[in-house]
């Protein structure tokens, strides 16, 4: 199952708060490894696609992360 950009945006805000800047990375917005694991788990539950939590931590911005999630993450 695919996940929409709107669903990803909602998850981003749920994990990082409404003030999170999508032009900044996960860590720059106050994210940490626990939140990254939780976000990866939520994406997996919604799509069945695995997204490594390191991809979340290393993504320079939300759009990069969203592209990875929409592409199905890692194989």
């Amino acid at each position: 199952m695919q996940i929409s950009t709107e669903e990803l945006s909602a998850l981003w805000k749920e994990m990082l708060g409404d003030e999170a800047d999508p032009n900044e990375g996960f860590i720059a917005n106050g994210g940490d490894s626990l939140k990254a694991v939780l976000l990866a788990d939520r994406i997996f539950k919604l799509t069945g696609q695995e997204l490594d939590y390191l991809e979340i931590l290393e993504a320079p911005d939300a759009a990069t992360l969203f592209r990875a999630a929409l592409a199905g993450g890692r194989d």
Side-chain angles (χ1 to χ4, degrees):
M1 179 196 314
Q2 285 286 337
I3 189 169
S4 70
T5 303
E6 291 80 17
E7 289 171 308
L8 285 168
S9 294
L11 287 174
W12 178 266
K13 287 184 176 185
E14 181 181 321
M15 290 292 148
L16 301 172
D18 288 333
E19 301 301 316
D21 183 354
N23 298 310
E24 295 289 334
F26 193 78
I27 293 174
N29 276 301
D32 55 31
S33 58
L34 178 58
K35 288 180 181 179
V37 169
L38 293 172
L39 181 57
D41 183 61
R42 293 288 303 277
I43 291 171
F44 178 76
K45 286 178 179 175
L46 287 171
T47 67
Q49 298 289 337
E50 288 188 41
L51 187 65
D52 193 309
Y53 80 97
L54 291 175
E55 289 181 83
I56 295 170
L57 292 174
E58 294 172 353
D61 54 35
T64 302
L65 173 61
F66 292 177
R67 280 193 297 278
L70 293 170
R74 64 185 172 106
D75 295 321

